[in-house]
Amino acid sequence: MPTRFWPTAARLAPADAPAFDIHPSFNAEPQRLANVSGYVEREFLPRLKALALCQSGVLCRDPGGDRMSFVDAHQAAFADHGVCARAQNDPEFDRQCFSAKGESFDPDIVTAANQPMLCGRSAGEYRAYLPRARWIRDANDSYLRR
């Protein structure tokens, strides 16, 4: 059976999406994420596919034996579930407490020690593994899951 590649190019974040706001050091720079996502979709995955399928000038000693299956039908399912994905059916905590402007956490280290969320809810109410539009876990999830 040929080897299979299962690449996934989940849309990372639009250029105007908020960064992760748990702490400035985790800033994901949305434009940089958009650039990386574009590179993966336009250049990396097509080249990977050509390598797997012995196409586009890729030399294989025995194309019949060296050729692999390139599985990419699943990519569409990931398109709307990237780092910045949001939906109306996301958990209530997410909709109330995660600001689309990137202003979810109290920047004052003194008051944030007791109440880090600007929405006024306890970080302990957050449930990292409830179903949500975003399938990718981020720094905010790690912080709140502590």
Side-chain angles (χ1 to χ4, degrees):
M1 178 184 320
T3 303
R4 295 181 185 264
F5 279 108
W6 299 79
T8 300
R11 199 164 292 131
L12 295 174
D16 60 348
F20 305 139
D21 56 357
I22 186 64
H23 189 274
S25 64
F26 290 107
N27 186 325
E29 298 181 36
Q31 183 57 55
R32 185 173 181 194
L33 288 177
N35 292 344
V36 170
S37 182
Y39 168 78
V40 168
E41 290 177 23
R42 287 186 313 275
E43 297 182 42
F44 180 77
L45 288 179
R47 180 70 177 145
L48 184 61
K49 184 175 184 176
L51 287 168
L53 301 178
C54 299
Q55 297 175 339
S56 303
V58 172
L59 299 177
C60 295
R61 272 188 262 147
D62 174 19
D66 293 344
R67 183 183 163 122
M68 298 176 238
S69 295
F70 188 80
V71 181
D72 60 354
H74 66 288
Q75 289 181 338
F78 286 84
D80 295 322
H81 298 285
V83 171
C84 300
R86 293 172 174 262
Q88 283 302 111
N89 60 346
D90 279 350
E92 181 184 346
F93 185 94
D94 293 28
R95 289 180 282 125
Q96 287 182 359
C97 295
F98 293 138
S99 165
K101 296 178 184 177
E103 300 167 349
S104 306
F105 298 92
D106 188 344
D108 183 311
I109 61 171
V110 175
T111 58
N114 293 315
Q115 179 55 281
M117 305 299 302
L118 288 175
C119 66
R121 293 182 68 175
S122 167
E125 295 177 52
Y126 177 71
R127 299 294 176 256
Y129 298 105
L130 287 179
R132 52 185 43 91
R134 176 176 53 84
W135 289 349
I136 297 171
R137 301 298 171 236
D138 61 26
N140 289 353
D141 295 318
S142 296
Y143 171 77
L144 291 168
R145 187 65 193 125
R146 60 187 172 133

